[in-house]
Amino acid sequence: MTFQLPELSYDYDALEPHIDSLTMEIHHSKHHAGYTSKLNAAIKDTEMEGMSIEELLRNHNDNASIRNNGGGFWNHRFFWSLMCPSGGGSPQSELLEAINSKFGSFDNMKSEFAQAAMTQFGSGWAWLCVDSNGKLFVCSTANQDNPLMDNSGTPILGIDVWEHAYYKKYGPGRGDYINAWWNVVDWPAVTTLYNSAL
Ligand code: MN3
């Protein structure tokens, strides 16, 4: 069994003007495709063939190829699934209550998340996660690492802050990219992940 590059549920230009079409096309068809094929090459004819991606990330992240390419495979699949053309706004119900309870307000959570994304030095990701006690927290990780690898939490939202995710449109303006990205976040999908993480 091999991992497949997932098809997007929207067109490459669907997240314009916040994320440009060329960035989406290259990011999905080159970067994500590359992680996927290198992950498949890394597990081929080994005892890891047939394991789920989560099992690989949790138990085989001492293997650099699994860590980098498996992380890249999982992270991008996750990232695409939490964006949509009609995104933005704010979450509702239990997730909004949990955000208000933990961070004081939705805007405070966005600030803390953006700060984590801004201060991740070099390439990486920022995350909103649920810990083993059901509490929300924000963190960031380097390269293609994610919170599954050290079992610190279950991600329910993440942003790619590698330069390939934003440089064509925003240049060095990572903050402008992060600000724009909130407009394409699919909060109903994030809420579904939150509810299943509890
Ligand atoms: Mn990327």
Side-chain angles (χ1 to χ4, degrees), residues 27-28 31-32 35 72 75-76 79-80 124-125 143-144 159-166 177:
H27 204 172
H28 178 259
H31 292 277
H32 197 186
Y35 296 125
N75 292 351
H76 289 87
F79 186 54
W80 312 136
W125 293 73
N143 304 315
Q144 295 296 353
I159 185 171
D160 187 342
V161 294
W162 283 57
E163 285 187 347
H164 68 226
Y166 62 87
Y177 157 66

Side-chain angles (χ1 to χ4, degrees), residues 12 19 23 49 52 56 71 84 104 110 128 134 142 146 148 152 182 184:
Y12 287 139
I19 302 183
T23 294
E49 222 171 9
S52 72
L56 289 169
C84 70
K110 285 171 70 179
L128 177 64
N146 67 43
L148 300 178
S152 58
W182 292 113
V184 296

Side-chain angles (χ1 to χ4, degrees), residues 112-162:
E112 188 173 323
F113 184 95
Q115 180 71 11
M118 279 302 293
T119 56
Q120 171 57 48
F121 183 75
S123 297
W125 293 73
W127 309 96
L128 177 64
C129 300
V130 178
D131 72 15
S132 58
N133 296 314
K135 300 293 186 196
L136 293 170
F137 68 98
V138 164
C139 67
S140 65
T141 55
N143 304 315
Q144 295 296 353
D145 289 358
N146 67 43
L148 300 178
M149 293 179 180
D150 65 359
N151 262 314
S152 58
T154 304
I156 62 169
L157 181 64
I159 185 171
D160 187 342
V161 294
W162 283 57

